[in-house]
Structure formats: structure tokens, C-alpha cells
Amino acid sequence: MDPVSFIVKKGINTRIIGNKLKYFEIMSSTMDDVIQSGLNGENEGLTVVSENQTHGRGRTGNQWVSQEGNLLFSILLRPPSEIVNLLQPMIALSLQASIKRYCKLNVDIKWPNDLLINQSKIAGMLFESGTTAGKLEYVALGIGINVELQKVPQITATYPVTDLQTHTEFFVDRNELFSNIIHDLDTAYWDLKLGFDPIQRWKDELKIEGKMVSLNSNGIIITGLVLEVNDEGGLVVQCENDNIVTVMTGNLIERKH
């Protein structure tokens, strides 16, 4: 499988995201590199790609198991504060569209920001931000996409894990896929800055309203009926005791009964 260094060396013609690319065969964490760059004053758009990570991580402190042959990258953004809450829906929708178009697959978004094929996880996103005296300085966006797993990770997960190559009828070229994803992310981010609001489209793609779910939110298990997804991206849940709570983050399991 061709290393992603090919497209990194060639470069990608974008406005912001991907305007500067860094490539590593192996590193501790692309997120750590981007965060340090954010602290050092690097311009937004920096994208750091690695074939492998020794300390990759996912949401809520979970480990992201890194394997060669996949796409592992992080992006430095410096968005205006008024669009920060729109980043997660925008990124999820953009990645979904890129993969659907390139791989010709049906891809679902699982709240809040995982991508699934046939109820198996193929991609995840991580957002971390830095502030100074209450002012937002940067957002670090981490993305991991399972393109072709050498072996299925033996980890405890809410959803099983799969990869794109398993479901795609042709060879998935990581350089082409990565280039498509970066172009789409750059366009989506530009549109966001110009005023596009992705919330309703994201809500529609979640298909979670009216479903029974169980959530682990900061160690608290919440079970109930999803009444709606609010404009901040939280799930409004009617619990089994009829209390109504809003959950902003957590690991979700959709219940069949």
C-alpha cells in the first residue's frame, strides 16, 4: 500500500485545511504535535499525518489502536468562537460525504461523531481546544479512518470495528481518499466561516430521535427515549423514571427494545 507521503510531498491545493502538511512514518500522537504547534503560534490549516502512532487516543481518554495502512491525521484550526459548536457536525458530515462518494458506500453518523458501516465503526474524531484567559486560541481535530486493518483490534468497544476495504469493491487508494477528504474538509470549513449552519443536516443524519438508548456519560449510565437533538448537539433524553436530561457527551448504545 502506497504511503500517504506521496500526496504530502505533492501537496494539496486548499485555502486553509491542508495548506501545510507534515508526514511521519511513526510518532507518538498527531494530536500532540498539532496541539504543540497551536501553542507555538502556527497558522491554522496545519495537517499532521502519520502511518502509525504509539500513543494515539480517542474520545473520553480511550485508546485509538493505530495500524499501518489506515489514515491517521490531525488538523490545527483557529475558528472564531461563534462557530466552535458547529465544528463537530461539519466535520462529521464532510467525512461522511467524502467516504460515501469515493467508496460508494452507505455511511452513517453515530452521535456524537463516529462513522459506521452496517453498525460497525470505520472512523472516529477527537476535538481538543486551548484557551488563554478565557479566549479560544486553537482547536485540534484528530481523525482516524480504518482503511484496511491488518487485524481487528481486540478491544472492548461499544460497536464492532471494520474497515473500508472490506466493504469496497475496488482498491481503496489512501492518497486519493486523503486528498478528497482534505479538499472536502477545507470547503466545508470555508462555508462554515461564511455562515453555513450544518446542525439540521447533522440531526437528520443521526436518525436518533425517537430511539431508545443507553449512554455512558462520564461514568453515569443513562437509559431512555431520545426526544430530540438540541441545537448545541446534546441529546434530550426522557429517562426510565420520566426525568428529562440533556447529555452533551458520552458513549451511546442504541437499544432494540
Side-chain angles (χ1 to χ4, degrees), residues 40-185:
N40 292 342
E42 178 71 55
N43 292 331
E44 72 170 345
L46 168 69
T47 302
V48 179
V49 193
S50 184
E51 297 289 350
N52 215 329
Q53 300 178 114
T54 57
H55 292 87
R57 62 184 183 275
R59 291 188 306 111
T60 63
N62 292 330
Q63 179 188 15
W64 181 274
V65 179
S66 304
Q67 296 183 19
E68 289 187 20
N70 299 309
L71 282 175
L72 310 167
F73 58 100
S74 295
I75 300 167
L76 174 64
L77 300 175
R78 297 189 186 276
S81 58
E82 60 268 21
I83 69 169
V84 169
N85 289 339
L86 301 178
L87 284 176
Q88 179 173 291
M90 179 273 289
I91 298 296
L93 287 167
S94 180
L95 282 178
Q96 179 197 40
S98 297
I99 294 171
K100 286 175 71 172
R101 186 181 66 250
Y102 180 81
C103 295
K104 299 176 173 58
L105 296 171
N106 290 322
V107 180
D108 297 315
I109 301 175
K110 180 178 82 71
W111 183 90
N113 53 17
D114 288 336
L115 297 186
L116 308 179
I117 295 176
N118 296 333
Q119 294 300 301
S120 294
K121 183 173 178 177
I122 52 110
M125 290 152 267
L126 175 66
F127 297 82
E128 296 184 11
S129 60
T131 59
T132 301
K135 179 184 177 183
L136 180 70
E137 292 292 338
Y138 66 84
V139 173
L141 162 65
I143 296 174
I145 302 171
N146 297 330
V147 179
E148 185 172 7
L149 294 170
Q150 305 305 310
K151 61 179 180 179
V152 177
Q154 297 300 308
I155 58 175
T156 301
T158 304
Y159 283 73
V161 175
T162 189
D163 61 33
L164 294 176
Q165 192 61 72
T166 297
H167 301 273
T168 305
E169 296 181 353
F170 54 87
F171 173 69
V172 179
D173 185 302
R174 288 188 307 150
N175 283 283
E176 289 185 7
L177 178 60
F178 180 65
S179 179
N180 274 269
I181 287 171
I182 294 300
H183 274 291
D184 288 349
L185 287 173

